[in-house]
Amino acid sequence: VYDALRPQDSDADATTYFTRLIESSLGSVATKLNFFIHNLAQMKFTGSDARPTLSFAPRTHTIKTSGRIRDVFLCRHERVFNPSKGYIYVVKVQRESPGEVTFVQRTFEEFQELHNKLRLLFPSSLLPSFPSRFVIGRSRGEAVAERRKEELNGYIWHLIHAAPEVAECDLVYTFFHPLPRDEKAAGTNTAPKPADATWARSLGKVGGEVKLSISYKNNKLFIMVMHIRGLVGARWEQGGDPSPPLAHKAPPLSPQPPLQDGNDPDPYVKTYLLPDPQKTTKRKTKVARKTCNPTYNEMLVYDGIPRGDLEQRELRLSVLSEEGFWENILLGEVGIRLRDLDLAQEKMGWFALGSRGHGTL
């Protein structure tokens, strides 16, 4: 117990250690298996009326409410970048009602959720085999998406031609019923950003605050990126100014969404020690997903820098949103002159983002 609680560590080291421990446990197979077993037990003992539902469907649909499905065909796959980078599969659903054809968009993970929950209701002998999730190489590449399209097409064809208790169950009819996003996509242009898209002036202003802990010991500069709060951001627009001016003072915190599509960014932090013409001092944190208030608790270390050299440097910290194949979006940045800090002591505080000037604690 004594060793596990890390009393010998500094506050910064302990914070980093426990943050990584929490992240590791959240991604642990053993933890997920434990949750799965508890969910099965809960389903078993909460009564016979407790039926599995699909997490992405707001309500359950039946053959009576939706109309009997005559045919399904997975006609294509499309590259998407929102809410995350990957592929969606477009399924054409034809019902017995004359001329009633709808199109639904589903991810591979949603197909897998359907299959997993069907397995809870029916023996495997009644279900078609599901394509393997595991692939060699990039799991989101075009070749994998094309192969999965053919496999998923075979899966859904066999599914609607399975035994009636399977083909006509509520899970299947809920899966193939249009969701609000399907109806929205029918009238939305999902074309990617043009190649000549450049920076435009921000809808709001770049800004927010970042909490840092900065210390120096044994010719090592330690920068602990702790938290960020109140990110606001920029939007894409064809044309525009490639070098938008940044405000000299960070704006007040704002709850408005930072990106053009209304979604929260995928922020990460990047640092340099300037001047650095060769860009050898770049350090980066992990990417946080869909948040304006991320927590990192990551230690960025610069080793072998004498104190005299360090006092001539400026720490340039930028917060960017990861945008897949396109240029990442700047959400704010700050420059900190290290000679302004007493490096003999740890300095911890909030720095305003958004200014190309110098931050203050």
Side-chain angles (χ1 to χ4, degrees):
V1 172
Y2 182 89
D3 290 340
L5 295 178
R6 316 290 291 188
Q8 70 277 13
D9 287 356
S10 65
D11 288 348
D13 289 340
T15 300
T16 301
Y17 173 79
F18 286 121
T19 301
R20 300 290 85 77
L21 196 63
I22 291 169
E23 292 173 347
S24 175
S25 68
L26 289 175
S28 167
V29 173
T31 302
K32 293 178 180 179
L33 179 60
N34 185 39
F35 287 160
F36 177 71
I37 292 172
H38 280 285
N39 288 337
L40 286 181
Q42 186 177 15
M43 289 174 57
K44 181 177 180 179
F45 293 107
T46 52
S48 58
D49 292 335
R51 308 279 286 180
T53 58
L54 299 173
S55 63
F56 53 89
R59 54 172 295 188
T60 299
H61 298 273
T62 68
I63 187 173
K64 291 182 179 180
T65 61
S66 298
R68 184 182 299 276
I69 294 175
R70 188 173 70 183
D71 191 23
V72 293
F73 176 69
L74 200 163
C75 49
R76 67 184 184 275
H77 61 277
E78 296 179 355
R79 182 79 171 172
V80 295
F81 297 88
N82 178 43
S84 61
K85 185 169 63 176
Y87 287 89
I88 57 169
Y89 300 88
V90 181
V91 182
K92 179 181 178 181
V93 182
Q94 189 168 2
R95 302 182 187 273
E96 288 189 344
S97 302
E100 185 178 351
V101 175
T102 56
F103 292 87
V104 298
Q105 300 182 356
R106 299 292 182 264
T107 65
F108 182 82
E109 288 73 21
E110 288 167 344
F111 278 101
Q112 188 173 51
E113 180 182 340
L114 169 67
H115 183 72
N116 288 341
K117 290 182 176 178
L118 287 172
R119 290 172 60 190
L120 298 175
L121 296 177
F122 304 105
S124 297
S125 59
L126 294 177
L127 300 176
S129 60
F130 189 79
S132 172
R133 179 182 179 87
F134 300 101
V135 296
I136 298 175
R138 297 185 61 184
S139 63
R140 301 191 179 194
E142 176 73 22
V144 172
E146 180 65 30
R147 191 194 74 194
R148 282 178 171 173
K149 186 191 81 169
E150 301 303 324
E151 294 174 341
L152 289 172
N153 222 346
Y155 174 79
I156 60 176
W157 188 91
H158 285 95
L159 187 62
I160 67 162
H161 290 87
E165 62 265 34
V166 175
E168 299 174 2
C169 75
D170 294 351
L171 275 176
V172 171
Y173 273 75
T174 300
F175 182 85
F176 289 114
H177 193 280
L179 300 173
R181 72 183 187 209
D182 300 315
E183 297 167 357
K184 180 180 178 181
T188 300
N189 179 13
T190 59
K193 303 179 186 72
D196 58 346
T198 56
W199 274 105
R201 295 180 183 274
S202 60
L203 287 174
K205 294 182 178 179
V206 289
E209 295 178 293
V210 56
K211 187 176 184 180
L212 303 175
S213 170
I214 303 174
S215 59
Y216 181 76
K217 186 186 303 181
N218 298 328
N219 282 349
K220 292 182 181 180
L221 178 66
F222 299 91
I223 301 166
M224 186 174 195
V225 182
M226 304 176 76
H227 314 287
I228 298 177
R229 63 188 180 190
L231 285 175
V232 293
R235 66 183 173 95
W236 283 95
E237 191 175 83
Q238 190 161 354
D241 181 1
S243 301
L246 296 175
H248 289 288
K249 183 178 180 181
L253 302 185
S254 169
Q256 74 180 79
L259 302 182
Q260 186 180 22
D261 57 13
N263 289 285
D264 288 338
D266 294 329
Y268 68 94
V269 173
K270 180 170 64 175
T271 64
Y272 289 97
L273 289 182
L274 304 181
D276 181 15
Q278 303 301 322
K279 295 188 177 181
T280 59
T281 62
K282 182 172 75 173
R283 303 288 189 273
K284 292 170 61 175
T285 68
K286 66 183 180 184
V287 178
R289 297 298 177 187
K290 304 304 173 192
T291 177
C292 289
N293 303 283
T295 292
Y296 297 99
N297 288 334
E298 285 195 49
M299 188 72 78
L300 307 180
V301 181
Y302 292 96
D303 194 3
I305 302 179
R307 184 178 184 124
D309 184 17
L310 201 61
E311 291 178 350
Q312 306 304 314
R313 300 286 193 105
E314 174 185 291
L315 173 66
R316 175 59 56 85
L317 182 146
S318 304
V319 182
L320 303 102
S321 178
E322 186 180 63
E323 294 298 310
F325 289 116
W326 293 290
E327 184 177 355
N328 295 337
I329 295 177
L330 178 69
L331 302 177
E333 65 179 352
V334 62
I336 305 167
R337 285 189 297 254
L338 295 176
R339 65 173 178 267
D340 294 340
L341 305 179
D342 181 4
L343 296 177
Q345 298 182 14
E346 178 186 8
K347 296 297 182 182
M348 182 185 299
W350 291 93
F351 290 82
L353 295 168
S355 172
R356 287 189 177 272
H358 301 293
T360 55
L361 278 169

